[in-house]
Amino acid sequence: MLSNPKLIPEVQFMAQVEQDSGIAVSACYQCKKCTNGCPVTFAMDLYPDQVIRLVQIGQQKAVLNCSTIWVCSACETCTTRCPNEVDVAGIMDYLKEQAIKSGIDIPQPRTYAFHRVFLEDIGRRGRVFEGGLLPRYMFQSGEIWRKLKDRELKDDLELAYHLFRKGRLALTPQGIRARAAIKKILANSTG
Amino acid sequence: MQVTYYPGCSLEGTARDYAASLTAVCKALGVELIELEDWNCCGATAAHALNHHAAIALAGRNLALAEKEGRDLVVPCPLCFNRLKTAAQALTGDKRQSYDYAFQGDIKIYDLADFLAQEPLLQLLASRVSQPLPGLKAVCYYGCMASRPPGITEAPDHENPTSMDRILSKLGVEVKPWSYKTDCCGASHLIARRDIVFKLVGRLYDKAVEAGANCMVVSCQMCQANLDLYQDKILRELERSYYLPIFYFTELIGLALGLSQARQWGHMHFVPPARLLAGVGLISC
C-alpha cells in the first residue's frame, strides 16, 4: 500500500473526516508518539501514525481496508499522549464505521463479527447475556468450524463448564423493561 | 451514605465475584448501593466501534435515569465508567441536541476504586481492619479505562493512578511499585484475537513477578478475566511457572475486614488464591 508509486491524493477526504468526526487530523505533525506508546503495534499492518498520515494525504482506500483500525484495542494511550490533541483512537472508531458503510470486506472478520453480535445482543434485551453471546459469535464468525477442527472447542467447553461450576456463568439472561427505547437507539446502527 | 449503583452486564455473569465482594464491602462501610432502576448495557467496545451515536445514547439513557434519582453514580466496571463519562461529556457538549436523552451533569460519576479511596472512607476503612494482610505482595493493575483519556475520565494522575495502592496500604498489603499499572491487557480481543491478549498478559505476568509481587490486584472485570481465566495456558506457552492469584481489590478489603463471606469469593477464581493465603498464614488449609 505504502509503496504504491501512483499515490493520488483525494484532497477532500481529510476535510470530510474532520467534519464528520470533529477530530483535527490536520494537527498531526508525525512525531509518532502514538505509535511508540501503542501496545498492539505487533499485530498491526499500518502503524497508528501511518493511519493518520494516510488520512491527511487522502488515501481513503488504504485506511478503510487496513487491519489496524480493528486491531486497535481502544486503550486510548495514543489519544492521551498526543501533543496536538489528535484523538487517534477516535479516528480508528470513525474509520471502522466508514469501512462498514462502504461495504468492503472487513480484514478482521472475527473482530467485526464479535462487535456485531454484541450489539445485536444489546438490542435483544437491553443487556448483554454472556452465555448466549459467545455461541452466537462462534456461529456468525464461522469460528465454530475451525474450533471443531483444531479441537479448540473442547477447551472452550471446558472453560464454560468451569465458569458454570464456579458460579460465573449466568444461565438466564436479564432483560430490561424499556426494550423499545434500546431498539430505537440501535435502529440506525451501521453494524 | 447512599449512592446509585450501575453494575454493568459482566457483574451479572463472569464477574459475580466482583459483584459479591463490592456489595458486601460497601455494606460493611455503610455505603448503601441503590441499583439504578432498569439500567441498560453501556454499549461497551462494540457500540463505540460500530456506531458512535448509539454508543452515546446507550450510555446516555443510564445517565438520564440516574440524574432523575439525584444521587451520585458509582460504577465498578472501568469500561462502563469510561462510556458513561464519555456520554456525560457528549450530552453536555454542543452536539447534545442530536440525542434523545438529556443530562445536566448535576450528579458525579465515580469509578468504584476512586470512590472508596476518598479520604473519609479510607480512614473509616483503616479503622475497621480486623485482619491485616501481611505477606501479600501486590502490584495494583488498573488497566486503561478508569484513567484514559484524562479529558474524559478526569483522572488526577492518569499515568500513575493510586486509588488501589492507597486502599491496599491500609489493609497491610505490601504494595509493590511497577511501571505497568495502566498498560493494556487486550480487553475484549480475548474472544476474536486471543493471541493479542496472551502476548500482552504474558508480559504483565513477567513484570509483576519482576516487581516482587505474589499476586495482582485489579478493579476491572475484563482485566481479571484476561489475567485469571487462561493463566495456566499462557504460562505453559511462555514456559514459565508462576503462580499469580488475581484479586479484585474489594475481595482483599473483605478479607481484611474479616467478613465471613470473603473466603468464598476466591473459590470463583481460576487461579485459586487459597495456596497463597495459606502460605502467608492468612487462612489455615
Side-chain angles (χ1 to χ4, degrees), chain B residues 115-128:
Chain B
F115 179 77
L116 291 177
Q118 296 176 99
E119 204 48 46
L121 276 171
L122 212 52
Q123 295 308 328
L124 177 68
L125 174 62
S127 71
R128 295 279 177 85

Side-chain angles (χ1 to χ4, degrees), chain A residues 52-65:
Chain A
I52 298 298
R53 184 68 184 134
L54 287 167
V55 171
Q56 286 180 333
I57 59 173
Q59 297 304 299
Q60 185 171 357
K61 213 173 138 191
V63 292
L64 294 189
N65 282 284

Side-chain angles (χ1 to χ4, degrees), chain A residues 41-74:
Chain A
T41 48
F42 64 87
M44 288 175 164
D45 53 357
L46 290 171
Y47 291 138
D49 70 272
Q50 293 173 328
V51 170
I52 298 298
R53 184 68 184 134
L54 287 167
V55 171
Q56 286 180 333
I57 59 173
Q59 297 304 299
Q60 185 171 357
K61 213 173 138 191
V63 292
L64 294 189
N65 282 284
C66 72
S67 282
T68 291
I69 56 178
W70 298 94
V71 165
C72 164
S73 64

Side-chain angles (χ1 to χ4, degrees), chain A residues 19-22 39-40 42-43 70-77 79-81 93 96-97 100 108 110-112 114-116 118-119 122 126-128 130 134 137 143 147 152 155-156 159 162-163 166-171 174-178 181-182 184-186 188-191, chain B residues 9-10 12-17 35-41 43-54 57-58 61 82 95 100-101 144-145 148-150 158-159 182 184 186-189 191-196 199-200 203 224-225 228-230 233 248 267-270:
Chain A
Q19 193 191 326
D20 290 352
S21 69
V40 286
F42 64 87
W70 298 94
V71 165
C72 164
S73 64
C75 78
E76 304 276 349
T77 306
T79 295
T80 297
R81 293 182 183 168
D93 278 347
K96 284 195 279 284
E97 275 196 56
I100 296 162
Q108 294 285 314
R110 286 185 281 155
T111 303
Y112 177 35
F114 178 64
H115 291 330
R116 217 170 46 225
F118 197 102
L119 263 194
I122 299 174
R127 287 185 200 164
V128 166
E130 295 163 335
L134 295 176
Y137 158 75
E143 274 287 89
K147 282 173 182 264
E152 212 180 282
D155 294 351
D156 286 1
L159 181 81
H162 287 300
L163 280 170
K166 289 171 183 293
R168 289 171 71 174
L169 186 69
L171 294 181
Q174 301 293 316
I176 71 164
R177 290 193 302 279
I182 304 301
K184 191 177 165 206
I185 289 173
L186 293 173
N188 65 345
S189 170
T190 54
Chain B
C9 305
S10 296
E12 297 185 328
T14 46
R16 279 177 175 172
D17 38 3
E35 186 167 325
L36 180 64
E37 185 68 21
D38 214 36
W39 60 270
N40 61 269
C41 172
T45 309
H48 79 72
L50 302 188
N51 187 334
H52 176 75
H53 193 273
L58 283 169
R61 177 177 174 273
N82 192 294
K95 285 190 182 161
D100 289 341
Y101 297 99
C144 309
M145 296 282 91
R148 285 189 301 265
H158 59 271
E159 296 281 9
T182 61
C184 182
S188 65
H189 275 317
I191 308 301
R193 287 295 308 267
R194 214 161 77 171
D195 57 316
I196 292 177
K199 180 156 177 154
L200 295 174
R203 191 178 58 172
Q224 207 281 343
D228 181 48
L229 299 186
Y230 290 98
K233 192 175 170 67
Y248 288 108
H267 296 317
M268 299 172 85
H269 296 194
F270 278 58

Side-chain angles (χ1 to χ4, degrees), chain B residues 21-281:
Chain B
S21 59
L22 76 88
T23 309
V25 159
C26 284
K27 193 174 170 200
L29 293 175
V31 176
E32 190 185 343
L33 300 174
I34 301 170
E35 186 167 325
L36 180 64
E37 185 68 21
D38 214 36
W39 60 270
N40 61 269
C41 172
C42 72
T45 309
H48 79 72
L50 302 188
N51 187 334
H52 176 75
H53 193 273
I56 300 299
L58 283 169
R61 177 177 174 273
N62 294 307
L63 293 180
L65 291 173
E67 197 161 57
K68 270 191 209 130
E69 308 229 350
R71 295 174 295 266
D72 288 344
L73 186 61
V74 172
V75 189
C77 165
L79 177 55
C80 298
F81 166 76
N82 192 294
R83 295 317 307 165
L84 293 167
K85 289 286 281 184
T86 301
Q89 197 171 81
L91 295 183
T92 51
D94 48 4
K95 285 190 182 161
R96 64 180 175 276
Q97 304 298 349
S98 63
Y99 297 99
D100 289 341
Y101 297 99
F103 180 68
Q104 313 303 324
D106 291 339
I107 57 167
K108 275 192 185 153
I109 305 163
Y110 286 101
D111 160 66
L112 177 69
D114 281 336
F115 179 77
L116 291 177
Q118 296 176 99
E119 204 48 46
L121 276 171
L122 212 52
Q123 295 308 328
L124 177 68
L125 174 62
S127 71
R128 295 279 177 85
V129 170
S130 63
Q131 187 190 5
L133 309 172
L136 290 188
K137 299 171 188 174
V139 285
C140 295
Y141 177 58
Y142 295 82
C144 309
M145 296 282 91
S147 296
R148 285 189 301 265
I152 295 289
T153 63
E154 300 180 84
D157 193 349
H158 59 271
E159 296 281 9
N160 184 26
T162 59
S163 55
M164 286 193 284
D165 294 56
R166 282 178 284 135
I167 290 169
L168 296 192
S169 302
K170 299 285 187 223
L171 312 179
V173 174
E174 187 178 335
V175 181
K176 297 288 187 182
W178 72 323
S179 303
Y180 292 81
K181 281 181 171 180
T182 61
D183 273 37
C184 182
C185 71
S188 65
H189 275 317
L190 184 65
I191 308 301
R193 287 295 308 267
R194 214 161 77 171
D195 57 316
I196 292 177
V197 169
F198 282 16
K199 180 156 177 154
L200 295 174
V201 166
R203 191 178 58 172
L204 292 170
Y205 294 150
D206 277 345
K207 297 299 173 183
V209 169
E210 202 177 293
N214 57 17
C215 61
M216 297 175 76
V217 179
V218 300
S219 62
C220 168
Q221 83 298 330
M222 194 71 241
C223 298
Q224 207 281 343
N226 282 350
L227 291 163
D228 181 48
L229 299 186
Y230 290 98
Q231 191 172 114
D232 260 6
K233 192 175 170 67
I234 296 169
L235 291 177
R236 238 188 347 263
E237 281 179 20
L238 288 172
E239 298 179 359
R240 308 273 204 276
S241 57
Y242 309 142
Y243 159 60
L244 274 174
I246 313 297
F247 291 106
Y248 288 108
F249 74 108
T250 43
E251 294 175 327
L252 294 186
I253 297 176
L255 278 173
L257 293 178
L259 302 184
S260 55
Q261 323 89 300
R263 289 179 189 190
Q264 302 306 315
W265 303 326
H267 296 317
M268 299 172 85
H269 296 194
F270 278 58
V271 182
R275 178 151 64 95
L276 170 67
L277 295 174
V280 298

